[in-house]
Amino acid sequence: MRLPRSVRDADVAGKTVLVRADLNVPLEDGRVADDTRIRASLPTLELLLGRGATAVRVCSHLGRPKTEEDRAKYRMQPVAARLRELVPDERIHVLENTRFDPGETSNDERFAHELAEGCDLYVNDAFGSAHRAHASTEAVAHLLPAYAGLLLLDELEHLGRLLGEIERPFVLISGGAKVEDKLGVLRNLGGRADTVLIGGKMAEELRGENPLDFDVELPVDVVAAAEFERDAESRLCAVDEIPDGWLGLDIGPETRTRFARQLQSARTIFWNGPMGVFEWPPFAEGTKAVAEAVAANDAAFSVVGGADSVRALNELGLAERVSWVSTGGGASLELLEGKELPGVAAIPSA
Ligand code: ADP
Ligand code: MG
């Protein structure tokens, strides 16, 4: 995979640097509810400050502002306040939400010029937005000398390993609800995997008709529920014994054992998509079993992607135990589908 040139190789002393970070954090009552993404952007910002940049202008989108009311809700002020607490350096300036300008999503040259105005260098560290050709991720990269930030590079290097030479067995495990989004990755990576394990709603969809040109291992038993409710009547059953009209909302114990055994002997693992409706305790055990099996395998290079899968892993306190937790969402999926990300393509090679 082609790697863009690194901010480590940029001469930033005395320069004003425009950084596109991914500061799209969840807000609650006008405050930052989870600052993971802000923290993830710190290494690049600290590198720039440490190397003597005169000013660091940080821009990001926040939420999906559409109406005037949204504009009040998605101002960058709380994010800037949190960032200032973490890095109290006067040289950092947080620009207003890039999506307040309609030119952002249309990749507009005029808005890109506005962002670039007065800056000497551009650093893109927003991996989570790199699959979108927007003014702050694409157009602006053609107006200033462009470099990749440390987080962006870390994501490319770790995810890229799955696309290159891998140690076998390679076990790919997929689940969740967004089946359409995941089929591209399954097609591209699944053929390279030695074993493809499928849970979640994904399993129910593939059971009918498998549109893939390789075999997948589907659940043999499920936790079935009479309806899609937290406290629905539920029971364990073999897949061919699911009562009419009931839904499989988690993988069953026999499937958990089988999947865990495969994960135990893997040398490369990619997991995307929970095994069940893990938000509801009666249907959380399958996801937990898989998370534990992935975490327990210290010999494997293991990557977990997808917002909900990562949330499940975090809630179980297992994020530190896997090789790489991708924060990318859509960007990770597109990269693993084999697509070139516009925000990466716009940066010259190393
Ligand atoms: P990720 O964010 O990790 O990529 P998805 O967004 O595709 O994963 O799917 C996550 C959602 O899938 C969770 O909210 C979970 O409740 C739901 N889910 C998992 N298994 C099932 C199932 N069998 N039926 C319905 N929903 C499911
Ligand atoms: Mg999701």
Side-chain angles (χ1 to χ4, degrees):
M1 194 180 56
R2 189 194 76 97
L3 284 181
R5 64 185 180 185
S6 167
V7 62
R8 284 188 203 94
D9 300 322
D11 179 12
V12 305
K15 305 268 172 71
T16 294
V17 185
L18 175 70
V19 177
R20 174 52 159 102
D22 179 5
L23 304 179
N24 183 28
V25 293
L27 299 172
E28 246 167 50
D29 305 324
R31 299 195 52 125
V32 173
D34 175 3
D35 66 1
T36 307
R37 285 184 168 158
I38 302 178
R39 289 176 183 279
S41 72
L42 297 185
T44 293
L45 300 181
E46 280 164 351
L47 178 119
L48 292 168
L49 295 171
R51 291 194 178 178
T54 309
V56 178
R57 295 186 192 164
V58 189
C59 67
S60 174
H61 78 283
L62 180 62
R64 294 184 176 183
K66 296 215 169 70
T67 61
E68 274 304 311
E69 240 168 69
D70 287 349
R71 289 175 74 99
K73 212 162 92 191
Y74 292 120
R75 295 205 34 227
M76 289 301 282
Q77 189 277 328
V79 175
R82 182 70 189 122
L83 180 57
R84 186 167 293 271
E85 281 170 11
L86 294 167
V87 189
D89 192 304
E90 296 294 321
R91 288 173 293 167
I92 295 187
H93 308 271
V94 176
L95 306 185
E96 194 45 276
N97 190 345
T98 52
R99 291 224 185 140
F100 283 2
D101 193 307
E104 167 71 333
T105 52
S106 60
N107 200 17
D108 179 47
E109 191 87 357
R110 176 215 33 96
F111 183 46
H113 273 285
E114 259 178 51
L115 290 169
E117 180 69 41
C119 297
D120 305 302
L121 280 180
Y122 168 73
V123 176
N124 188 353
D125 206 21
F127 177 72
S129 299
H131 60 311
R132 303 208 170 96
H134 288 176
S136 70
T137 60
E138 210 278 338
V140 72
H142 301 291
L143 303 178
L144 294 169
Y147 293 85
L150 302 177
L151 175 65
L152 181 88
L153 282 168
D154 245 1
E155 287 273 10
L156 293 177
E157 281 163 13
H158 286 97
L159 293 172
R161 258 177 85 170
L162 297 173
L163 297 168
E165 289 280 312
I166 39 165
E167 259 196 83
R168 295 184 178 278
F170 174 18
V171 177
L172 190 150
I173 177 158
S174 191
K178 291 187 194 158
V179 179
E180 281 307 314
D181 292 6
K182 297 179 201 294
L183 280 178
V185 177
L186 270 179
R187 280 202 184 91
N188 192 42
L189 274 188
R192 313 182 65 219
D194 299 288
T195 308
V196 178
L197 308 172
I198 307 281
K201 197 171 169 199
M202 174 84 104
E204 307 309 311
E205 305 247 338
L206 294 189
R207 198 182 300 285
E209 193 182 342
N210 179 357
L212 304 164
D213 56 8
F214 47 83
D215 290 332
V216 299
E217 206 171 303
L218 295 170
V220 293
D221 59 347
V222 298
V223 184
E227 53 189 338
F228 193 76
E229 292 290 343
R230 173 188 282 263
D231 37 40
E233 183 191 349
S234 67
R235 76 169 77 125
L236 288 173
C237 52
V239 286
D240 50 4
E241 286 166 359
I242 303 176
D244 268 356
W246 283 44
L247 305 159
L249 295 190
D250 195 12
I251 58 173
E254 170 62 24
T255 306
R256 289 170 214 158
T257 307
R258 290 185 184 203
F259 284 11
R261 203 179 300 134
Q262 298 275 11
L263 290 165
Q264 207 170 30
S265 53
R267 284 304 165 111
T268 303
I269 296 171
F270 177 60
W271 174 30
N272 172 228
M275 295 293 102
V277 185
F278 71 98
E279 298 93 335
W280 297 339
F283 312 106
E285 290 302 312
T287 302
K288 183 171 178 231
V290 161
E292 284 171 348
V294 175
N297 187 337
D298 293 327
F301 171 67
S302 52
V303 178
V304 181
D308 293 290
S309 316
V310 170
R311 204 185 112 202
L313 196 70
N314 278 326
E315 284 172 7
L316 292 162
L318 297 172
E320 302 292 314
R321 307 265 312 270
V322 304
S323 311
W324 185 249
V325 175
S326 180
T327 54
S332 323
L333 293 183
E334 290 201 17
L335 185 78
L336 294 175
E337 268 175 50
K339 290 185 186 161
E340 188 168 38
L341 308 179
V344 175
I347 305 170
S349 296

